[in-house]
Every structure is written in structure tokens, then in C-alpha cells.
Amino acid sequence: MGEQPLFTCKAHVFQLEPEMKKSWIPLSTTAVNVQIFHDPIKNIYRIVSVEGTKALINSIVTPRMTFTKTSQKFGQWIDFKLNLVYGLGFANDIELNRFVDKFKEIKEMTRSTATILRPHERSNSCEITNFNRHVLNDSNDSNDVQLKIENEKLRAALTQTTQNTRKIEDEMHILKTNNMRLTAALQETQNSMEIWKKELQFYKDECGRLKNLNSSNSSRNGF
């Protein structure tokens, strides 16, 4: 029996820049599937994400791992074995909390089945501890970077909204101007019709007057 999928969600995948650990590197070009698998034979749990043919995450969950929420839509964890810090950006806090709950559940499972550290784990314990301390010291910087990213997104959205508002205002101004022109043209047409009606009535009256005058002249002449 191979690995079994236990959980799936969608998120943008990031990795903390390994050397300076000051900035996030986007690993995915869009929101991709992030899955948690369980290998019942080896009894291990893995967080896996793949985009196309590229493996973005292949992180084995251990009891010492902790998933930390750094904002309402972003969280991160340290893979001590790989000496990497992964970050996930979600569409909303609901999706983030779903992943947090599942991560805690899987972590408890690994803790309940954990045994004494194997020799190679002991030999790397000091290195892991130092890496963990260094990452934790830089966690505030990482949070600041993420906040800057989200602020840039908000600023871009605000700029777009402002541009859309100006565009709507311009269109409203054009419509208002066209409406005024149409109203003026309609008023001018109505005025012209009134003039035509008066002229027509004048012609009718004049024709009647001339007709009556012609009748009077005929009577006088005996016709």
C-alpha cells in the first residue's frame, strides 16, 4: 500500500531565502494544491506540493515542527531536516485555519508514534537547534516582509480602485455632457416647432382673409 492523501488545499507557496533569511521567494506562479500524505508502512507524514512537473514542497512532518500564523492569510514552518522555511499564502483565513488544524492533528500523530532519536538525528541536533534559533530570531523580519507584500497588494488594489473610480467619473461626465446636448437639441426642436406652428397659423389666417376679400369684391362686381 502506497502513500494515502489525507488533506488537500490551495495556496501560494513561498520559501524563505536560505542565506540571509530576509525575504520570501515565490515558488509557485499561482495558487496550487498543497497536500498531506501518510505512508502507513513507514508511518510518516509528508507535506507535498507540485506545480506541473516541478516539486515545490516535500517536507516530512516531525514532532518538533510548528506551523506559525504570521497574518490572517499567511503561515510558515521550518523543515529542520532540509534547513528550509516554507510559507503558504491562502485566499482567506478560513482556508488558513483549516490547514493549521490539520497540521496540529498530524503533528500529534507523529508525536504519539515518535521513538527515541536515532543516532544521526542526535548528531544533527546542535545544528538543528542553531538553525531554529537563527530562524526564530529572524521571524519578526520575515513577518515584516510578509506585511510589506500584503501592503503592496493592498496599495495596488487601492490604486486600481482609484483608477476605476476616475474612469467611472469620466464616463459619467461624458454622459452628463451628452445628455445636456440632447436636452438642448430637443428644446431647440420644440422652439422651432412652435415657430412653425405660428407661421402656419399666420398663413392659414392670411389665406382666409384673402378668400373673404375676394368674395366681397366678386359680390360688388355682380359676379
Side-chain angles (χ1 to χ4, degrees):
M1 181 183 296
E3 288 184 309
Q4 301 173 354
L6 301 180
F7 177 83
T8 301
C9 65
K10 278 191 173 293
H12 291 266
V13 179
F14 298 86
Q15 178 183 308
L16 194 63
E17 190 270 319
E19 295 182 1
M20 300 300 295
K21 299 181 178 64
K22 296 291 184 180
S23 60
W24 288 103
I25 302 172
L27 298 183
S28 63
T29 58
T30 184
V32 295
N33 284 335
V34 178
Q35 297 178 292
I36 298 178
F37 286 88
H38 177 228
D39 187 334
I41 297 177
K42 298 180 181 179
N43 198 23
I44 60 174
Y45 298 85
R46 290 193 306 142
I47 302 174
V48 176
S49 181
V50 177
E51 184 176 28
T53 58
K54 179 183 178 182
L56 308 179
I57 303 176
N58 186 10
S59 179
I60 297 177
V61 181
T62 64
R64 64 167 56 89
M65 278 187 180
T66 300
F67 187 85
T68 304
K69 292 171 59 176
T70 58
S71 72
Q72 292 183 344
K73 299 180 182 180
F74 194 87
Q76 64 187 55
W77 78 95
I78 305 170
D79 189 318
F80 299 106
K81 292 184 177 180
L82 299 177
N83 283 357
L84 295 174
V85 182
Y86 290 106
L88 296 179
F90 294 86
N92 51 61
D93 58 337
I94 297 176
E95 290 299 310
L96 173 57
N97 290 330
R98 284 183 61 239
F99 185 86
V100 170
D101 293 340
K102 195 64 180 180
F103 191 97
K104 290 179 180 178
E105 177 185 335
I106 296 302
K107 180 179 176 179
E108 288 301 318
M109 291 180 181
T110 61
R111 179 176 296 165
S112 63
T113 58
T115 56
I116 301 174
L117 286 175
R118 290 184 287 273
H120 74 277
E121 289 181 321
R122 290 198 191 96
S123 65
N124 292 332
S125 60
C126 292
E127 182 181 351
I128 290 172
T129 302
N130 291 334
F131 175 77
N132 185 24
R133 186 181 298 111
H134 183 67
V135 171
L136 290 177
N137 288 337
D138 289 339
S139 60
N140 289 333
D141 294 334
S142 301
N143 294 346
D144 291 341
V145 171
Q146 180 58 27
L147 286 175
K148 288 180 180 179
I149 293 174
E150 294 189 358
N151 287 337
E152 287 298 326
K153 291 180 179 179
L154 290 174
R155 188 177 294 107
L158 180 60
T159 300
Q160 184 63 41
T161 300
T162 302
Q163 292 175 350
N164 291 340
T165 301
R166 290 176 180 173
K167 183 178 179 181
I168 292 174
E169 290 176 351
D170 291 341
E171 292 178 352
M172 290 294 294
H173 178 71
I174 293 174
L175 289 174
K176 185 177 180 180
T177 302
N178 291 339
N179 185 53
M180 292 176 62
R181 290 176 178 174
L182 289 173
T183 301
L186 179 61
Q187 184 64 42
E188 184 178 354
T189 301
Q190 290 177 343
N191 293 337
S192 298
M193 289 186 66
E194 290 296 326
I195 294 173
W196 295 339
K197 286 181 180 179
K198 290 179 181 180
E199 291 180 351
L200 180 60
Q201 186 63 43
F202 173 78
Y203 292 144
K204 286 182 178 180
D205 294 341
E206 186 66 16
C207 288
R209 188 183 68 81
L210 292 174
K211 184 177 181 181
N212 292 333
L213 181 60
N214 185 44
S215 297
S216 298
N217 290 333
S218 298
S219 299
R220 289 176 187 163
N221 295 329
F223 292 104

